């Protein structure tokens, strides 16, 4: 069953050739931008621009129609006005294409009955012609393995996170934030009005896809609630599934209807069903990407006992107080450090300027890599602790270290411990006035496999979500 | 009364000379870093390093003691171990100094009775000697007008926001985030254990200070609750007062006791009292700086009707849906656009790809500065709307504009409208994969006087806070 599904979706996520309908040499037209995006991304298959006006784009011949393309066409990307759609679909049938993605919008979401009926006609042609439709009113597929972009200029490293988004804009943000945060996607899709393939189909596919270990879903509404909740329950048993529901409020619901023509139901019903299914609900873009990032970095984690460390070079007291408040708010467990741990830390750091609780303010370390290494050793050895969360305020550290080398050595302590033992280490690097040093460090830590967040609050939410998933799955 | 207070605090915030006790030519010592911080900041008064070992720091003579300094000493910054403090204070009396700030820690916050008593002895000496104490266990004063830094490397432009922070680390973050966000401070102070001058004294001063229009306070505990709530009530009548209480939770309370020796009371009692006083309570660093920033940018605003615009170059639907959800969550009012506004927008944008509601998705604008200008004109003219919030996703816009000039022209539309009419324009620039272009734009918008936030949620919280203050003050 799974193998059939994987084969069926092969031309969607690994198309060998793409025709862009509505291609244009005019650089301001979407049909030009789609071709340029494919070329610049280095898409690995054949690209066939199509337009009755002929000509050339970026050295590629523009074919007058699908029929005149010499080879097989797997994937058709449509960027022509809605009134020309139906006759195009006849051409698709004749050419034997596998999937048609509609960038073209202006259907059900306009609220106009005529264009809602057009969707039904499109679907009928797809069924008869033996091809599938993605959209209309969407940005289609993202497949980093074959360098197929969803928006121009953004193809990241292939990885294990799959996403499904009803909204093209949210899909684009997931990709672009993924690139800057180090979230590596196996594949992703935005399906807009979803008249044929929709969330349930893509969920079934990503659930079966061996390359996808974690799934993120942005959804505004579903056609068949029962089928939807059955599939998310099945998937959540084997893969972390993170769901962001757009249109949770009355105001959001009105906009969702105009966006993807979705009729949404009560947010309480949704939240209950998502929870019962064992999936994780998130409430905004930041929490969505933070949670996906942490699922990527921590593949299995059942603990719930966190130690927080602040004040690498002093001034960690306020950060410790607010970290404690924040973790309490998200019901994270900051257990007392063991008696042995406290005794060792007292001997190492002394009572002045340090807070030997949890959060632990290690101000007397004052930037010494060797003292920091001992602190980490002691805390990691504490049997009460499952995960270590460190807040580094780069602009407060830099005045206390003698040179960039010492700053690197401090951070190498975290990178080394991240690899030589099993308790996850997560780092919070809040923005400040030393942004270029901070961003360099952030990249280094991420490349070293450490999850980095901009605030304790965002880290805490992601940790709570990951913990909730694994504790439920293995309860 | 106010003039007396202002004169009394003159040597604290505008000292003509500073002695650094514990100065050292050893670059790893705090006493060296304090001198270097003053020199590098370009502090406008005299700097006198003091240490019995003599020598030189950065071309400045190190005096063996306070007595040997030729001129008057207004401000003494203490960075020597706690056991030498009391005899130093006798020297301060003899020299006739005005204020002593203790970077030195290890007193009440250690929980040790001996060092709690030392605080009482210090205070007695200050009363007898006629000088004031800031701290101990603090980073002291920030005064951008006279280039007096609180941490090294961070002196921003003088402005109208004053802050008071019990924590040095939080004070340092306020300054460094202020520099990167464009929050300009009149002055600020961190007072640690606050054995003499504390939150109430500094509140009275900043309340009277004509250069301070808005006040931010981070506090872990107060000595005299009645006096504290009386003064915040008085101040909130005339100046926006934003309060972040550290140690709101049981966990945070324990840490606060170890941090600044604060005994805190129930967070519900605090929240109620802050609300009754007409001040604005915030719950984390991000909300604190966002709210201060917005109070700086919007000096008077009574409206509550917001229009949100997304999709400058397409893909604004998901952003519109989630903006609606977020604003509903923070009880912001997104009223329907007027019939006239909708009609004009329909004529300009058409029904396809746009969402002609509020939030308004202007996808068909597709990066045209002239169409955007018309959209802004129409929305600003709507009598239902008091404030316009625009989300720009830079990495989604760049592929659709032909060059950087067009990108600038798009943003000039906002900069122009921000100056030529009175409805506030706020811009949300979420992070993504085009960070260098985004940061350039962010600086340009901020320099143009527009408040910029990284997410609709953060903008919405700040707007709700500012609205709450002004609607209460003028109800």
């Amino acid at each position: 069953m799974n193998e059939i599904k994987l084969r069926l979706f092969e031309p969607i996520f690994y198309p060998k050739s793409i025709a862009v309908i509505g291609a244009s040499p005019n650089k301001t037209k979407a049909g030009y931008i789609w071709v340029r995006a494919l070329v610049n991304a280095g898409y690995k298959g054949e690209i066939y621009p199509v337009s009755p006006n002929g000509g050339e784009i970026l050295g590629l011949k523009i074919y007058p129609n699908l029929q005149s393309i010499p080879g097989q066409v797997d994937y058709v990307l449509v960027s022509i006005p809605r009134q020309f759609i139906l006759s195009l679909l006849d051409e698709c049938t004749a050419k034997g294409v596998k999937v048609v993605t509609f960038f073209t919008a202006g259907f059900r979401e306009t609220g106009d009955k005529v264009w809602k009926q057009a969707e039904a006609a499109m679907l009928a042609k797809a069924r008869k012609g033996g091809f599938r439709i993605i959209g209309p009113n969407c940005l289609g597929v993202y497949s980093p393995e074959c360098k197929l972009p969803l928006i121009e200029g953004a193809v990241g490293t292939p990885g294990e996170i799959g996403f499904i988004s009803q909204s093209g804009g949210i899909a684009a943000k997931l990709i672009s934030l993924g690139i800057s945060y180090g979230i590596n996607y196996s594949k992703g899709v935005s399906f807009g009005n979803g008249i044929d393939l929709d969330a349930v189909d893509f969920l079934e596919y990503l659930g079966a896809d061996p390359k996808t270990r974690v799934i993120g879903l942005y959804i505004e509404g579903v056609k068949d609630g029962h089928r939807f909740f059955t599939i998310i329950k099945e998937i959540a048993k084997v893969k972390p599934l993170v769901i962001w529901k757009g249109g949770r409020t009355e105001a959001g619901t009105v906009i969702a209807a105009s966006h993807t023509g979705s009729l949404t139901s009560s947010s309480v019903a949704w939240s209950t069903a998502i929870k019962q299914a064992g999936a994780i609900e998130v409430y905004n873009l930041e929490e969505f990407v933070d949670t996906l990032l942490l699922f990527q970095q921590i593949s299995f984690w059942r603990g719930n006992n966190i130690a927080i460390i602040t004040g690498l070079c002093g001034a960690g007291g306020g950060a410790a107080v607010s970290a404690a408040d924040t973790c309490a708010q998200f019901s994270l467990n900051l257990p007392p450090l063991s008696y042995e741990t406290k005794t060792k830390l007292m001997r190492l750091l002394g009572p002045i300027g340090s807070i030997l609780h949890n959060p632990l303010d290690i101000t007397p370390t004052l930037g010494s890599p060797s003292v920091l290494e001992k602190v980490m050793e002691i805390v990691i050895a504490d049997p009460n602790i499952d995960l270590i969360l460190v807040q580094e305020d780069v602009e407060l550290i830099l005045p206390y270290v003698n040179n960039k080398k010492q700053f690197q050595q401090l951070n190498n302590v975290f990178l080394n411990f991240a690899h030589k033992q099993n308790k996850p280490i997560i780092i919070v690097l809040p923005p400040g006035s030393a942004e270029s040093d901070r961003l360099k460090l952030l990249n280094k830590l991420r490349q070293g496999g450490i999850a980095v967040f901009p605030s304790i609050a965002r880290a805490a939410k992601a940790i709570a979500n990951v913990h909730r998933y694994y504790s439920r799955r293995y309860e």
Side-chain angles (χ1 to χ4, degrees), chain A residues 130-156:
Chain A
F131 56 86
R132 306 304 300 256
I133 288 176
I134 303 178
N137 184 23
C138 77
L139 295 179
V141 169
Y142 174 55
S143 181
E145 262 188 280
C146 57
K147 306 270 188 198
L148 171 55
L150 183 139
I151 49 157
E152 190 171 22
V155 175

Side-chain angles (χ1 to χ4, degrees), chain A residues 70-238:
Chain A
Q72 162 71 25
V73 173
D74 279 352
Y75 186 109
V76 171
L77 204 163
V78 183
S79 180
I80 53 173
R82 55 185 178 174
Q83 56 271 29
F84 306 118
I85 292 300
L86 289 177
S87 60
L88 170 71
L89 291 183
D90 293 329
E91 279 192 59
C92 291
T93 304
K95 184 68 184 170
V97 308
K98 309 280 175 56
V99 58
V100 183
T101 291
F102 285 96
F103 177 63
T104 305
F107 295 89
R108 171 178 31 163
E109 79 278 12
T110 60
D112 186 329
K113 223 200 294 183
V114 173
W115 293 103
K116 192 172 174 187
Q117 283 162 358
E119 288 187 350
M122 288 157 74
L123 186 57
K125 283 195 188 284
R127 289 288 173 271
K128 213 173 140 194
F131 56 86
R132 306 304 300 256
I133 288 176
I134 303 178
N137 184 23
C138 77
L139 295 179
V141 169
Y142 174 55
S143 181
E145 262 188 280
C146 57
K147 306 270 188 198
L148 171 55
L150 183 139
I151 49 157
E152 190 171 22
V155 175
T157 312
E160 301 181 310
I161 316 294
F163 75 78
I164 302 162
S165 169
Q166 199 155 1
S167 155
I170 301 293
K173 290 305 286 186
L174 287 177
I175 294 167
S176 80
L177 283 172
I179 290 170
S180 74
Y181 284 25
I183 303 170
N184 300 325
Y185 296 104
S186 55
K187 57 247 321 170
V189 64
S190 98
F191 63 88
N193 297 7
I195 61 169
D196 177 12
L197 293 173
D198 73 357
V200 170
D201 301 289
F202 291 113
L203 279 168
E204 285 178 342
Y205 170 69
L206 291 183
D209 179 26
K211 292 182 176 173
T212 299
R213 186 171 61 76
V214 178
I215 301 170
L217 170 67
Y218 171 80
I219 186 123
E220 294 180 356
V222 291
K223 283 180 286 195
D224 180 345
H226 178 72
R227 210 181 140 215
F228 176 77
F229 286 107
T230 305
I231 182 76
I232 68 170
K233 199 169 172 182
E234 263 174 49
I235 289 180
K237 277 181 202 149
V238 288

Side-chain angles (χ1 to χ4, degrees), chain A residues 13 166 191 200 219 247 270 273 291 296 351 353 356 431-432 435 458:
Chain A
F13 289 103
Q166 199 155 1
F191 63 88
V200 170
I219 186 123
W270 267 87
T291 303
Q296 173 181 278
L356 302 176
E435 284 302 273
R458 285 180 56 177

Side-chain angles (χ1 to χ4, degrees), chain A residues 364-377:
Chain A
T365 304
L366 283 179
S368 158
S370 62
V371 178
L372 179 64
E373 195 174 353
K374 282 178 200 142
V375 168
M376 288 298 289
E377 230 167 56

